[in-house]
Amino acid sequence: MRKAICTGASFVALLVLCACFFPAQTGGAGEKVAEESGAYVAVYDVSAERLERVALEEYVGGVVAAEMPSEYHEEALKAQAVAARTFALFKSPANGGGGCVRHPGADVCSSASCCQGYLTEARARERLGERAEAAMAAGRRAAESTAGEVLMFRGHLIRALYHACAGGHTENAENVYSSAIAYLRGVSSPGEEEYPQYSYTTEIPMAAIQEALADREDVLLLDELAPEDQLEVIERSETGRVTRIRVGLTALTGTEFRRALGLRSTNFEMEFSGKTVIFRTIGYGHGVGMSQTGADAMAARGAGYEEILAWYYTGAELKVPAGVAV
């Protein structure tokens, strides 16, 4: 995701461009806000394989429903709504963003692995069943109660990254991505231990690891060598996450290794049992930005969404920029 610049003027540009180039296809609770503000988002629906023009606040509600359990506290859901709104507008080309890298013409797509999850009413019923109505209602409330609010740093929209569970501490951006970002600094995230995402154990046969890394021409794993002789953690960050790991004779980043194997996080320990590697992970996700379970833990202790966002996005300010009606 590229750096985006946000001013009141750029928001006006977003409203004008979206209104001109994308025909209306959605309705619902977010439509009233969109009619007043003209705010729409170009969303590529991965399941339906089509580009849609979605009212901004309706979109935000659908993201909250997809990305955060509706059982979470209201203030955590509000924090999620602000992060989701900021993330979408950050990516919009109208604000200087690069849009969705996989789907040209879209600001964002509905894939959580690429942009962020998004559910329509119909998709929610398919995926969530009986929980769909509660999830969509919670998402709408969170969007409506924070309508128009975004996070900014020195006048710019921020890259509002978030993840499921930090495992007790979030990570500095440079330990996961290419460079340091002033507002994405690691902070403590207490109270997560009771959440099911906190820890996980998975066993992966060495053959499966070889297959997962088969497209890496620089990685060579040999059947005749023991797994413990071919896998070695070289470096960890201050939070305990693996930043470099030796695989065969090649050093990979912890993020590369995690993505290839589908591990829940880079905060892991390895045990070896014959030709099988046992991974014990702490946390769930890349670890940068807001921890969703941490946000809920803060909300349970009485923190408001403003406090939650200020904690996880260092120095960022909550604003309603000029040109956005709420």
PDB file of all heavy atoms in Angstrom, residues 18 22-28 30-31 34 38-45 50-63 89 107-108 118-120:
ATOM      1  N   CYS A  18     -16.105   9.638  -7.181  1.00  0.00           N
ATOM      2  CA  CYS A  18     -16.933   8.454  -6.951  1.00  0.00           C
ATOM      3  C   CYS A  18     -18.346   8.672  -7.476  1.00  0.00           C
ATOM      4  O   CYS A  18     -18.956   7.785  -8.061  1.00  0.00           O
ATOM      5  CB  CYS A  18     -16.981   8.096  -5.459  1.00  0.00           C
ATOM      6  SG  CYS A  18     -15.430   7.440  -4.843  1.00  0.00           S
ATOM      7  N   PHE A  22     -19.129   5.812 -10.781  1.00  0.00           N
ATOM      8  CA  PHE A  22     -19.644   4.507 -10.366  1.00  0.00           C
ATOM      9  C   PHE A  22     -21.153   4.566 -10.155  1.00  0.00           C
ATOM     10  O   PHE A  22     -21.628   5.334  -9.318  1.00  0.00           O
ATOM     11  CB  PHE A  22     -18.968   4.032  -9.067  1.00  0.00           C
ATOM     12  CG  PHE A  22     -17.510   3.774  -9.260  1.00  0.00           C
ATOM     13  CD1 PHE A  22     -16.571   4.752  -8.975  1.00  0.00           C
ATOM     14  CD2 PHE A  22     -17.075   2.561  -9.769  1.00  0.00           C
ATOM     15  CE1 PHE A  22     -15.229   4.520  -9.185  1.00  0.00           C
ATOM     16  CE2 PHE A  22     -15.726   2.323  -9.970  1.00  0.00           C
ATOM     17  CZ  PHE A  22     -14.815   3.307  -9.682  1.00  0.00           C
ATOM     18  N   PRO A  23     -21.934   3.789 -10.874  1.00  0.00           N
ATOM     19  CA  PRO A  23     -23.383   3.800 -10.724  1.00  0.00           C
ATOM     20  C   PRO A  23     -23.802   3.160  -9.424  1.00  0.00           C
ATOM     21  O   PRO A  23     -23.163   2.255  -8.923  1.00  0.00           O
ATOM     22  CB  PRO A  23     -23.851   2.940 -11.921  1.00  0.00           C
ATOM     23  CG  PRO A  23     -22.710   2.024 -12.187  1.00  0.00           C
ATOM     24  CD  PRO A  23     -21.471   2.828 -11.885  1.00  0.00           C
ATOM     25  N   ALA A  24     -24.907   3.624  -8.865  1.00  0.00           N
ATOM     26  CA  ALA A  24     -25.393   3.103  -7.587  1.00  0.00           C
ATOM     27  C   ALA A  24     -25.851   1.663  -7.761  1.00  0.00           C
ATOM     28  O   ALA A  24     -26.532   1.314  -8.709  1.00  0.00           O
ATOM     29  CB  ALA A  24     -26.546   3.963  -7.080  1.00  0.00           C
ATOM     30  N   GLN A  25     -25.445   0.811  -6.772  1.00  0.00           N
ATOM     31  CA  GLN A  25     -25.864  -0.585  -6.799  1.00  0.00           C
ATOM     32  C   GLN A  25     -26.290  -1.079  -5.434  1.00  0.00           C
ATOM     33  O   GLN A  25     -26.698  -2.219  -5.294  1.00  0.00           O
ATOM     34  CB  GLN A  25     -24.720  -1.476  -7.304  1.00  0.00           C
ATOM     35  CG  GLN A  25     -24.372  -1.237  -8.765  1.00  0.00           C
ATOM     36  CD  GLN A  25     -23.363  -2.225  -9.267  1.00  0.00           C
ATOM     37  OE1 GLN A  25     -23.226  -3.315  -8.735  1.00  0.00           O
ATOM     38  NE2 GLN A  25     -22.650  -1.872 -10.311  1.00  0.00           N
ATOM     39  N   THR A  26     -26.134  -0.264  -4.412  1.00  0.00           N
ATOM     40  CA  THR A  26     -26.453  -0.750  -3.075  1.00  0.00           C
ATOM     41  C   THR A  26     -27.359   0.220  -2.361  1.00  0.00           C
ATOM     42  O   THR A  26     -27.424   1.402  -2.656  1.00  0.00           O
ATOM     43  CB  THR A  26     -25.181  -0.912  -2.232  1.00  0.00           C
ATOM     44  OG1 THR A  26     -24.506   0.354  -2.184  1.00  0.00           O
ATOM     45  CG2 THR A  26     -24.246  -1.938  -2.838  1.00  0.00           C
ATOM     46  N   GLY A  27     -28.052  -0.301  -1.374  1.00  0.00           N
ATOM     47  CA  GLY A  27     -28.919   0.525  -0.551  1.00  0.00           C
ATOM     48  C   GLY A  27     -28.688   0.209   0.892  1.00  0.00           C
ATOM     49  O   GLY A  27     -27.695  -0.383   1.252  1.00  0.00           O
ATOM     50  N   GLY A  28     -29.614   0.578   1.779  1.00  0.00           N
ATOM     51  CA  GLY A  28     -29.478   0.205   3.180  1.00  0.00           C
ATOM     52  C   GLY A  28     -29.149   1.374   4.056  1.00  0.00           C
ATOM     53  O   GLY A  28     -29.249   2.532   3.673  1.00  0.00           O
ATOM     54  N   GLY A  30     -26.453   2.727   5.193  1.00  0.00           N
ATOM     55  CA  GLY A  30     -25.416   3.675   4.822  1.00  0.00           C
ATOM     56  C   GLY A  30     -25.815   4.631   3.718  1.00  0.00           C
ATOM     57  O   GLY A  30     -25.161   5.639   3.475  1.00  0.00           O
ATOM     58  N   GLU A  31     -26.926   4.353   3.018  1.00  0.00           N
ATOM     59  CA  GLU A  31     -27.311   5.141   1.872  1.00  0.00           C
ATOM     60  C   GLU A  31     -27.666   6.577   2.234  1.00  0.00           C
ATOM     61  O   GLU A  31     -27.351   7.510   1.512  1.00  0.00           O
ATOM     62  CB  GLU A  31     -28.498   4.478   1.169  1.00  0.00           C
ATOM     63  CG  GLU A  31     -28.769   5.016  -0.214  1.00  0.00           C
ATOM     64  CD  GLU A  31     -27.691   4.611  -1.201  1.00  0.00           C
ATOM     65  OE1 GLU A  31     -27.105   3.533  -1.030  1.00  0.00           O
ATOM     66  OE2 GLU A  31     -27.441   5.377  -2.131  1.00  0.00           O
ATOM     67  N   ALA A  34     -24.610   8.577   2.566  1.00  0.00           N
ATOM     68  CA  ALA A  34     -23.996   8.775   1.260  1.00  0.00           C
ATOM     69  C   ALA A  34     -24.731   9.834   0.459  1.00  0.00           C
ATOM     70  O   ALA A  34     -24.127  10.618  -0.263  1.00  0.00           O
ATOM     71  CB  ALA A  34     -23.975   7.461   0.490  1.00  0.00           C
ATOM     72  N   GLY A  38     -22.250  12.305  -0.423  1.00  0.00           N
ATOM     73  CA  GLY A  38     -21.754  11.892  -1.728  1.00  0.00           C
ATOM     74  C   GLY A  38     -20.626  10.894  -1.648  1.00  0.00           C
ATOM     75  O   GLY A  38     -19.953  10.665  -2.641  1.00  0.00           O
ATOM     76  N   ALA A  39     -20.403  10.296  -0.470  1.00  0.00           N
ATOM     77  CA  ALA A  39     -19.244   9.418  -0.276  1.00  0.00           C
ATOM     78  C   ALA A  39     -19.566   7.990  -0.678  1.00  0.00           C
ATOM     79  O   ALA A  39     -20.476   7.370  -0.135  1.00  0.00           O
ATOM     80  CB  ALA A  39     -18.803   9.467   1.182  1.00  0.00           C
ATOM     81  N   TYR A  40     -18.791   7.469  -1.620  1.00  0.00           N
ATOM     82  CA  TYR A  40     -18.920   6.092  -2.075  1.00  0.00           C
ATOM     83  C   TYR A  40     -17.533   5.469  -2.187  1.00  0.00           C
ATOM     84  O   TYR A  40     -16.535   6.173  -2.307  1.00  0.00           O
ATOM     85  CB  TYR A  40     -19.628   6.019  -3.430  1.00  0.00           C
ATOM     86  CG  TYR A  40     -21.102   6.341  -3.362  1.00  0.00           C
ATOM     87  CD1 TYR A  40     -21.541   7.662  -3.444  1.00  0.00           C
ATOM     88  CD2 TYR A  40     -22.045   5.332  -3.217  1.00  0.00           C
ATOM     89  CE1 TYR A  40     -22.891   7.965  -3.376  1.00  0.00           C
ATOM     90  CE2 TYR A  40     -23.404   5.631  -3.147  1.00  0.00           C
ATOM     91  CZ  TYR A  40     -23.816   6.948  -3.225  1.00  0.00           C
ATOM     92  OH  TYR A  40     -25.148   7.243  -3.152  1.00  0.00           O
ATOM     93  N   VAL A  41     -17.491   4.146  -2.174  1.00  0.00           N
ATOM     94  CA  VAL A  41     -16.242   3.412  -2.321  1.00  0.00           C
ATOM     95  C   VAL A  41     -16.407   2.418  -3.469  1.00  0.00           C
ATOM     96  O   VAL A  41     -17.456   1.777  -3.593  1.00  0.00           O
ATOM     97  CB  VAL A  41     -15.889   2.653  -1.024  1.00  0.00           C
ATOM     98  CG1 VAL A  41     -14.572   1.909  -1.183  1.00  0.00           C
ATOM     99  CG2 VAL A  41     -15.807   3.617   0.154  1.00  0.00           C
ATOM    100  N   ALA A  42     -15.372   2.308  -4.293  1.00  0.00           N
ATOM    101  CA  ALA A  42     -15.376   1.317  -5.370  1.00  0.00           C
ATOM    102  C   ALA A  42     -14.828   0.012  -4.807  1.00  0.00           C
ATOM    103  O   ALA A  42     -13.638  -0.100  -4.516  1.00  0.00           O
ATOM    104  CB  ALA A  42     -14.520   1.794  -6.534  1.00  0.00           C
ATOM    105  N   VAL A  43     -15.692  -0.970  -4.632  1.00  0.00           N
ATOM    106  CA  VAL A  43     -15.338  -2.240  -3.989  1.00  0.00           C
ATOM    107  C   VAL A  43     -15.424  -3.384  -4.991  1.00  0.00           C
ATOM    108  O   VAL A  43     -16.460  -3.557  -5.649  1.00  0.00           O
ATOM    109  CB  VAL A  43     -16.277  -2.537  -2.803  1.00  0.00           C
ATOM    110  CG1 VAL A  43     -15.855  -3.825  -2.094  1.00  0.00           C
ATOM    111  CG2 VAL A  43     -16.324  -1.378  -1.830  1.00  0.00           C
ATOM    112  N   TYR A  44     -14.356  -4.150  -5.100  1.00  0.00           N
ATOM    113  CA  TYR A  44     -14.413  -5.352  -5.926  1.00  0.00           C
ATOM    114  C   TYR A  44     -14.849  -6.509  -5.036  1.00  0.00           C
ATOM    115  O   TYR A  44     -14.147  -6.890  -4.098  1.00  0.00           O
ATOM    116  CB  TYR A  44     -13.062  -5.666  -6.570  1.00  0.00           C
ATOM    117  CG  TYR A  44     -13.149  -6.838  -7.523  1.00  0.00           C
ATOM    118  CD1 TYR A  44     -13.538  -6.646  -8.843  1.00  0.00           C
ATOM    119  CD2 TYR A  44     -12.861  -8.141  -7.098  1.00  0.00           C
ATOM    120  CE1 TYR A  44     -13.647  -7.720  -9.716  1.00  0.00           C
ATOM    121  CE2 TYR A  44     -12.964  -9.213  -7.968  1.00  0.00           C
ATOM    122  CZ  TYR A  44     -13.354  -8.998  -9.276  1.00  0.00           C
ATOM    123  OH  TYR A  44     -13.467 -10.061 -10.134  1.00  0.00           O
ATOM    124  N   ASP A  45     -16.044  -7.058  -5.330  1.00  0.00           N
ATOM    125  CA  ASP A  45     -16.568  -8.201  -4.589  1.00  0.00           C
ATOM    126  C   ASP A  45     -15.915  -9.457  -5.151  1.00  0.00           C
ATOM    127  O   ASP A  45     -16.220  -9.877  -6.272  1.00  0.00           O
ATOM    128  CB  ASP A  45     -18.092  -8.261  -4.733  1.00  0.00           C
ATOM    129  CG  ASP A  45     -18.722  -9.321  -3.851  1.00  0.00           C
ATOM    130  OD1 ASP A  45     -18.118 -10.406  -3.681  1.00  0.00           O
ATOM    131  OD2 ASP A  45     -19.827  -9.087  -3.326  1.00  0.00           O
ATOM    132  N   ARG A  50     -17.186  -8.925  -9.284  1.00  0.00           N
ATOM    133  CA  ARG A  50     -17.636  -7.696  -9.938  1.00  0.00           C
ATOM    134  C   ARG A  50     -17.303  -6.480  -9.089  1.00  0.00           C
ATOM    135  O   ARG A  50     -17.138  -6.567  -7.878  1.00  0.00           O
ATOM    136  CB  ARG A  50     -19.139  -7.739 -10.221  1.00  0.00           C
ATOM    137  CG  ARG A  50     -20.037  -7.772  -8.989  1.00  0.00           C
ATOM    138  CD  ARG A  50     -21.505  -7.581  -9.353  1.00  0.00           C
ATOM    139  NE  ARG A  50     -22.366  -7.645  -8.183  1.00  0.00           N
ATOM    140  CZ  ARG A  50     -23.016  -8.729  -7.792  1.00  0.00           C
ATOM    141  NH1 ARG A  50     -22.900  -9.857  -8.482  1.00  0.00           N
ATOM    142  NH2 ARG A  50     -23.781  -8.711  -6.708  1.00  0.00           N
ATOM    143  N   LEU A  51     -17.190  -5.359  -9.777  1.00  0.00           N
ATOM    144  CA  LEU A  51     -16.909  -4.079  -9.128  1.00  0.00           C
ATOM    145  C   LEU A  51     -18.226  -3.409  -8.774  1.00  0.00           C
ATOM    146  O   LEU A  51     -19.135  -3.341  -9.614  1.00  0.00           O
ATOM    147  CB  LEU A  51     -16.093  -3.185 -10.067  1.00  0.00           C
ATOM    148  CG  LEU A  51     -15.621  -1.838  -9.510  1.00  0.00           C
ATOM    149  CD1 LEU A  51     -14.595  -2.058  -8.401  1.00  0.00           C
ATOM    150  CD2 LEU A  51     -15.018  -0.989 -10.623  1.00  0.00           C
ATOM    151  N   GLU A  52     -18.330  -2.920  -7.546  1.00  0.00           N
ATOM    152  CA  GLU A  52     -19.560  -2.289  -7.094  1.00  0.00           C
ATOM    153  C   GLU A  52     -19.280  -0.928  -6.480  1.00  0.00           C
ATOM    154  O   GLU A  52     -18.218  -0.700  -5.899  1.00  0.00           O
ATOM    155  CB  GLU A  52     -20.276  -3.173  -6.062  1.00  0.00           C
ATOM    156  CG  GLU A  52     -20.697  -4.530  -6.605  1.00  0.00           C
ATOM    157  CD  GLU A  52     -21.474  -5.336  -5.583  1.00  0.00           C
ATOM    158  OE1 GLU A  52     -21.470  -4.948  -4.396  1.00  0.00           O
ATOM    159  OE2 GLU A  52     -22.087  -6.342  -5.965  1.00  0.00           O
ATOM    160  N   ARG A  53     -20.233  -0.053  -6.609  1.00  0.00           N
ATOM    161  CA  ARG A  53     -20.184   1.246  -5.952  1.00  0.00           C
ATOM    162  C   ARG A  53     -21.008   1.132  -4.679  1.00  0.00           C
ATOM    163  O   ARG A  53     -22.210   0.877  -4.717  1.00  0.00           O
ATOM    164  CB  ARG A  53     -20.765   2.310  -6.886  1.00  0.00           C
ATOM    165  CG  ARG A  53     -20.820   3.705  -6.289  1.00  0.00           C
ATOM    166  CD  ARG A  53     -21.742   4.562  -7.141  1.00  0.00           C
ATOM    167  NE  ARG A  53     -21.756   5.939  -6.716  1.00  0.00           N
ATOM    168  CZ  ARG A  53     -22.811   6.727  -6.793  1.00  0.00           C
ATOM    169  NH1 ARG A  53     -23.959   6.246  -7.245  1.00  0.00           N
ATOM    170  NH2 ARG A  53     -22.727   7.987  -6.424  1.00  0.00           N
ATOM    171  N   VAL A  54     -20.352   1.306  -3.550  1.00  0.00           N
ATOM    172  CA  VAL A  54     -20.997   1.095  -2.249  1.00  0.00           C
ATOM    173  C   VAL A  54     -20.924   2.369  -1.425  1.00  0.00           C
ATOM    174  O   VAL A  54     -19.865   3.007  -1.343  1.00  0.00           O
ATOM    175  CB  VAL A  54     -20.315  -0.060  -1.470  1.00  0.00           C
ATOM    176  CG1 VAL A  54     -21.024  -0.323  -0.151  1.00  0.00           C
ATOM    177  CG2 VAL A  54     -20.280  -1.322  -2.321  1.00  0.00           C
ATOM    178  N   ALA A  55     -22.039   2.754  -0.834  1.00  0.00           N
ATOM    179  CA  ALA A  55     -22.048   3.910   0.057  1.00  0.00           C
ATOM    180  C   ALA A  55     -21.012   3.707   1.162  1.00  0.00           C
ATOM    181  O   ALA A  55     -20.916   2.625   1.734  1.00  0.00           O
ATOM    182  CB  ALA A  55     -23.441   4.086   0.665  1.00  0.00           C
ATOM    183  N   LEU A  56     -20.221   4.743   1.429  1.00  0.00           N
ATOM    184  CA  LEU A  56     -19.085   4.613   2.346  1.00  0.00           C
ATOM    185  C   LEU A  56     -19.475   4.012   3.679  1.00  0.00           C
ATOM    186  O   LEU A  56     -18.852   3.059   4.146  1.00  0.00           O
ATOM    187  CB  LEU A  56     -18.429   5.989   2.561  1.00  0.00           C
ATOM    188  CG  LEU A  56     -17.298   6.033   3.603  1.00  0.00           C
ATOM    189  CD1 LEU A  56     -16.154   5.110   3.202  1.00  0.00           C
ATOM    190  CD2 LEU A  56     -16.814   7.465   3.793  1.00  0.00           C
ATOM    191  N   GLU A  57     -20.507   4.562   4.323  1.00  0.00           N
ATOM    192  CA  GLU A  57     -20.843   4.069   5.663  1.00  0.00           C
ATOM    193  C   GLU A  57     -21.474   2.679   5.622  1.00  0.00           C
ATOM    194  O   GLU A  57     -21.302   1.894   6.553  1.00  0.00           O
ATOM    195  CB  GLU A  57     -21.748   5.070   6.380  1.00  0.00           C
ATOM    196  CG  GLU A  57     -21.122   6.440   6.581  1.00  0.00           C
ATOM    197  CD  GLU A  57     -19.741   6.401   7.257  1.00  0.00           C
ATOM    198  OE1 GLU A  57     -19.457   5.459   8.026  1.00  0.00           O
ATOM    199  OE2 GLU A  57     -18.952   7.329   7.021  1.00  0.00           O
ATOM    200  N   GLU A  58     -22.157   2.365   4.539  1.00  0.00           N
ATOM    201  CA  GLU A  58     -22.650   0.995   4.376  1.00  0.00           C
ATOM    202  C   GLU A  58     -21.470   0.036   4.235  1.00  0.00           C
ATOM    203  O   GLU A  58     -21.465  -1.064   4.799  1.00  0.00           O
ATOM    204  CB  GLU A  58     -23.554   0.900   3.160  1.00  0.00           C
ATOM    205  CG  GLU A  58     -24.117  -0.505   2.930  1.00  0.00           C
ATOM    206  CD  GLU A  58     -25.075  -0.546   1.760  1.00  0.00           C
ATOM    207  OE1 GLU A  58     -25.469   0.517   1.262  1.00  0.00           O
ATOM    208  OE2 GLU A  58     -25.422  -1.654   1.335  1.00  0.00           O
ATOM    209  N   TYR A  59     -20.474   0.462   3.474  1.00  0.00           N
ATOM    210  CA  TYR A  59     -19.262  -0.343   3.315  1.00  0.00           C
ATOM    211  C   TYR A  59     -18.578  -0.557   4.663  1.00  0.00           C
ATOM    212  O   TYR A  59     -18.195  -1.682   5.007  1.00  0.00           O
ATOM    213  CB  TYR A  59     -18.303   0.338   2.338  1.00  0.00           C
ATOM    214  CG  TYR A  59     -16.926  -0.269   2.337  1.00  0.00           C
ATOM    215  CD1 TYR A  59     -16.684  -1.498   1.733  1.00  0.00           C
ATOM    216  CD2 TYR A  59     -15.864   0.368   2.979  1.00  0.00           C
ATOM    217  CE1 TYR A  59     -15.419  -2.075   1.754  1.00  0.00           C
ATOM    218  CE2 TYR A  59     -14.598  -0.201   3.000  1.00  0.00           C
ATOM    219  CZ  TYR A  59     -14.383  -1.422   2.395  1.00  0.00           C
ATOM    220  OH  TYR A  59     -13.130  -1.993   2.433  1.00  0.00           O
ATOM    221  N   VAL A  60     -18.416   0.495   5.441  1.00  0.00           N
ATOM    222  CA  VAL A  60     -17.754   0.386   6.739  1.00  0.00           C
ATOM    223  C   VAL A  60     -18.501  -0.603   7.634  1.00  0.00           C
ATOM    224  O   VAL A  60     -17.888  -1.447   8.299  1.00  0.00           O
ATOM    225  CB  VAL A  60     -17.649   1.765   7.417  1.00  0.00           C
ATOM    226  CG1 VAL A  60     -17.165   1.625   8.864  1.00  0.00           C
ATOM    227  CG2 VAL A  60     -16.710   2.673   6.630  1.00  0.00           C
ATOM    228  N   GLY A  61     -19.830  -0.528   7.649  1.00  0.00           N
ATOM    229  CA  GLY A  61     -20.606  -1.474   8.446  1.00  0.00           C
ATOM    230  C   GLY A  61     -20.376  -2.908   8.022  1.00  0.00           C
ATOM    231  O   GLY A  61     -20.263  -3.814   8.855  1.00  0.00           O
ATOM    232  N   GLY A  62     -20.264  -3.128   6.694  1.00  0.00           N
ATOM    233  CA  GLY A  62     -20.009  -4.471   6.184  1.00  0.00           C
ATOM    234  C   GLY A  62     -18.624  -4.977   6.518  1.00  0.00           C
ATOM    235  O   GLY A  62     -18.418  -6.178   6.714  1.00  0.00           O
ATOM    236  N   VAL A  63     -17.656  -4.058   6.616  1.00  0.00           N
ATOM    237  CA  VAL A  63     -16.301  -4.452   7.008  1.00  0.00           C
ATOM    238  C   VAL A  63     -16.284  -4.865   8.479  1.00  0.00           C
ATOM    239  O   VAL A  63     -15.687  -5.881   8.846  1.00  0.00           O
ATOM    240  CB  VAL A  63     -15.293  -3.315   6.764  1.00  0.00           C
ATOM    241  CG1 VAL A  63     -13.921  -3.700   7.324  1.00  0.00           C
ATOM    242  CG2 VAL A  63     -15.184  -3.002   5.284  1.00  0.00           C
ATOM    243  N   LEU A  89     -10.173   4.760   2.629  1.00  0.00           N
ATOM    244  CA  LEU A  89      -9.907   6.064   2.035  1.00  0.00           C
ATOM    245  C   LEU A  89      -8.417   6.271   1.786  1.00  0.00           C
ATOM    246  O   LEU A  89      -8.021   6.951   0.835  1.00  0.00           O
ATOM    247  CB  LEU A  89     -10.471   7.174   2.931  1.00  0.00           C
ATOM    248  CG  LEU A  89     -11.994   7.164   3.072  1.00  0.00           C
ATOM    249  CD1 LEU A  89     -12.449   8.264   4.017  1.00  0.00           C
ATOM    250  CD2 LEU A  89     -12.679   7.309   1.714  1.00  0.00           C
ATOM    251  N   ASP A 107     -11.038   0.663  -5.338  1.00  0.00           N
ATOM    252  CA  ASP A 107     -10.345   1.236  -4.186  1.00  0.00           C
ATOM    253  C   ASP A 107      -9.868   0.108  -3.280  1.00  0.00           C
ATOM    254  O   ASP A 107      -8.731   0.107  -2.802  1.00  0.00           O
ATOM    255  CB  ASP A 107     -11.271   2.159  -3.396  1.00  0.00           C
ATOM    256  CG  ASP A 107     -11.705   3.385  -4.173  1.00  0.00           C
ATOM    257  OD1 ASP A 107     -10.909   3.888  -4.989  1.00  0.00           O
ATOM    258  OD2 ASP A 107     -12.849   3.834  -3.979  1.00  0.00           O
ATOM    259  N   VAL A 108     -10.765  -0.827  -3.033  1.00  0.00           N
ATOM    260  CA  VAL A 108     -10.498  -1.966  -2.155  1.00  0.00           C
ATOM    261  C   VAL A 108     -11.231  -3.176  -2.699  1.00  0.00           C
ATOM    262  O   VAL A 108     -12.132  -3.056  -3.527  1.00  0.00           O
ATOM    263  CB  VAL A 108     -10.976  -1.698  -0.701  1.00  0.00           C
ATOM    264  CG1 VAL A 108     -10.090  -0.699   0.010  1.00  0.00           C
ATOM    265  CG2 VAL A 108     -12.429  -1.237  -0.690  1.00  0.00           C
ATOM    266  N   TYR A 118     -15.313  -7.785   3.753  1.00  0.00           N
ATOM    267  CA  TYR A 118     -16.531  -6.978   3.585  1.00  0.00           C
ATOM    268  C   TYR A 118     -17.693  -7.919   3.315  1.00  0.00           C
ATOM    269  O   TYR A 118     -17.581  -8.836   2.488  1.00  0.00           O
ATOM    270  CB  TYR A 118     -16.364  -5.981   2.436  1.00  0.00           C
ATOM    271  CG  TYR A 118     -17.659  -5.360   1.963  1.00  0.00           C
ATOM    272  CD1 TYR A 118     -18.363  -4.476   2.778  1.00  0.00           C
ATOM    273  CD2 TYR A 118     -18.192  -5.679   0.707  1.00  0.00           C
ATOM    274  CE1 TYR A 118     -19.560  -3.916   2.348  1.00  0.00           C
ATOM    275  CE2 TYR A 118     -19.386  -5.125   0.271  1.00  0.00           C
ATOM    276  CZ  TYR A 118     -20.065  -4.237   1.097  1.00  0.00           C
ATOM    277  OH  TYR A 118     -21.259  -3.693   0.686  1.00  0.00           O
ATOM    278  N   LEU A 119     -18.800  -7.714   4.024  1.00  0.00           N
ATOM    279  CA  LEU A 119     -19.985  -8.544   3.839  1.00  0.00           C
ATOM    280  C   LEU A 119     -21.193  -7.703   3.458  1.00  0.00           C
ATOM    281  O   LEU A 119     -21.455  -6.668   4.069  1.00  0.00           O
ATOM    282  CB  LEU A 119     -20.310  -9.311   5.132  1.00  0.00           C
ATOM    283  CG  LEU A 119     -19.341 -10.402   5.588  1.00  0.00           C
ATOM    284  CD1 LEU A 119     -19.772 -10.948   6.940  1.00  0.00           C
ATOM    285  CD2 LEU A 119     -19.257 -11.524   4.561  1.00  0.00           C
ATOM    286  N   THR A 120     -21.917  -8.159   2.454  1.00  0.00           N
ATOM    287  CA  THR A 120     -23.247  -7.637   2.180  1.00  0.00           C
ATOM    288  C   THR A 120     -24.223  -8.441   3.039  1.00  0.00           C
ATOM    289  O   THR A 120     -23.845  -9.441   3.653  1.00  0.00           O
ATOM    290  CB  THR A 120     -23.604  -7.814   0.698  1.00  0.00           C
ATOM    291  OG1 THR A 120     -23.592  -9.226   0.392  1.00  0.00           O
ATOM    292  CG2 THR A 120     -22.599  -7.094  -0.202  1.00  0.00           C
TER     293      THR A 120
END
